[in-house]
Amino acid sequence: MGNSFDLDSAIRKVPDFPKKGILFYDITSILAEPRAFRYCIDRMIELYADARIDAVAAIESRGFVFASPFADRLGIPLILIRKKGKLPGETISRKYQLEYGEAEIEVHGADVPKGKRVLVVDDLIATGGTLRAATELVVAAGAEVAGIFGVVGLPFLNYRSMLGSIPITTLIEYHGE
Ligand code: AMP
């Protein structure tokens, strides 16, 4: 299928969700269109073919959807980064700032392969705050962050400055509303 698929047409845009002034880029419409979903996973496989990825860490919950088939196709471990209170084992956690208030995510430290190269995956990169906390968790657990992947990127929200020198890849970028 290569690069020819029109991914933009598969992404539902919902104005004023979850609140006024936000344009929400909804990936459920990608999942509902098998060609679009397969295109995303095929592109991920192509993009990271030579990147020596040892494991993939996915952010709850839409990150799970894209990271799971990727991990299965490559035959590499899948690590779930979850909201606080969901993981039953011993966890490492990180608090981070949201626009209003604070959030906390965590990971089973034992699931992160020590010294290995981990790709961190979410559906969409906005400010990059969530991904930054996720990369800090991966590092705190003893692995190396090989890169960050999001299906959608909103670079006008400055995620690159939030995420430092980590290589970031997205399949489609939107530049404001
Ligand atoms: P951030 O920490 O600001 O990068 O926010 C990332 C998380 O919020 C991702 O998991 C996204 O799913 C979600 N998100 C933020 N902004 C949007 C948006 N405009 N459309 C869809 N999802 C969004």
Side-chain angles (χ1 to χ4, degrees):
M1 199 175 288
N3 297 331
S4 59
F5 189 81
D6 179 13
L7 186 58
D8 174 53
S9 68
I11 298 173
R12 179 184 291 118
K13 288 94 179 168
V14 185
D16 299 321
F17 184 88
K19 59 182 185 197
K20 200 155 178 53
I22 306 276
L23 178 59
F24 193 85
Y25 296 92
D26 176 36
I27 57 85
T28 64
S29 45
I30 295 178
L31 307 179
E33 191 181 325
R35 281 191 338 122
F37 187 34
R38 180 158 298 162
Y39 167 80
C40 291
I41 307 305
D42 285 348
R43 287 288 292 134
M44 289 174 75
I45 296 288
E46 271 170 35
L47 285 163
Y48 294 104
D50 300 319
R52 295 184 298 109
I53 305 296
D54 298 311
V56 56
I59 299 178
E60 181 171 2
S61 54
R62 283 165 289 176
F64 293 179
V65 174
F66 294 93
S68 302
F70 178 76
D72 181 56
R73 282 210 212 167
L74 290 184
I76 59 176
L78 172 65
I79 302 146
L80 301 187
I81 295 178
R82 301 209 61 182
K83 288 162 188 153
K84 192 173 175 57
K86 304 276 188 182
L87 291 171
E90 200 173 312
T91 59
I92 306 174
S93 61
R94 274 285 178 283
K95 287 197 175 110
Y96 62 100
Q97 294 302 313
L98 296 175
E99 195 179 349
Y100 301 104
E102 220 176 44
E104 194 165 355
I105 53 175
E106 51 191 15
V107 71
H108 279 145
D111 290 348
V112 179
K114 313 301 165 217
K116 300 289 188 182
R117 290 167 53 78
V118 176
L119 179 70
V120 183
V121 171
D122 204 353
D123 67 324
L124 179 141
I125 316 176
T127 65
T130 310
L131 274 158
R132 184 157 92 175
T135 61
E136 287 171 359
L137 277 183
V138 168
V139 170
E144 183 191 331
V145 176
I148 288 173
F149 174 83
V151 177
V152 180
L154 306 182
F156 64 95
L157 297 175
N158 296 320
Y159 59 74
R160 284 192 186 268
S161 58
M162 177 72 91
L163 295 167
S165 60
I166 303 169
I168 305 167
T169 305
T170 57
L171 298 187
I172 190 164
E173 297 188 342
Y174 292 100
H175 300 274
E177 281 128 48

